[in-house]
């Protein structure tokens, strides 16, 4: 197996994120790779477009602060340096690809839920990251039923 030098782990800050980060950390430790942690905030304007003439900047700032604190907590628990923590704004798969290209990472680690029916047809962020990635992608199975 080729060695990885730089890895990105993308988390949605849900409770599944610990399992995803632990897996990425295990691989990074084994390979001696640098590990970066990424969370993407989707702008509220994406959801509401121009249909509702509202100023979302206050709420958006609050979401940004909360997400930054939560990402810091995940990173600190797993010994990831502050300069390897990235909060990005946009569409998750697009921003994750852009950061991976910028950092020239060789592996992106994401979580993946087993999906059925309509949810499977609609796809997922993990799917979106896989398609169009310029490097390896590892989907860590999360949310397993016991
Ligand atoms: P989903 O397809 O939305 O169930 O998300 C599956 C995985 O995609 C998560 O475990 C994360 O690895 C990644 N992901 C989803 N949303 C985000 C986000 N906003 N920022 C970073 N990664 C995300």
């Amino acid at each position: 197996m080729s060695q990885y030098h730089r890895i990105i782990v993308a988390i949605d800050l849900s409770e599944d994120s610990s399992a995803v980060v632990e897996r990425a950390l295990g691989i990074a430790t084994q390979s001696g790779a640098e590990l970066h942690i990424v969370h993407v905030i989707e702008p509220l304007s994406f959801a509401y477009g121009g249909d509702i003439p509202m100023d979302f900047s206050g709420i958006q700032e609050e979401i940004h602060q909360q997400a930054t604190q939560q990402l810091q907590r995940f990173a600190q628990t797993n010994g990831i340096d502050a300069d390897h923590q990235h909060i990005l704004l946009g569409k998750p798969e697009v921003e994750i690809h852009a950061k991976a290209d910028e950092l020239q990472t060789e592996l992106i680690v994401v979580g993946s839920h087993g999906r059925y029916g309509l949810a499977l047809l609609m796809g997922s962020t993990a799917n979106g990251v896989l398609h169009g990635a310029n490097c390896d992608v590892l989907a860590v199975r999360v949310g397993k039923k016991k």
Side-chain angles (χ1 to χ4, degrees), residues 10-12 20 38-41 92 96 109-113 115 124-126 142:
I11 60 168
D12 56 9
V20 182
V38 169
H39 174 70
V40 185
I41 299 170
I96 293 165
V109 181
V110 291
S112 173
H113 295 91
R115 283 173 202 261
S124 67
T125 305
V142 290

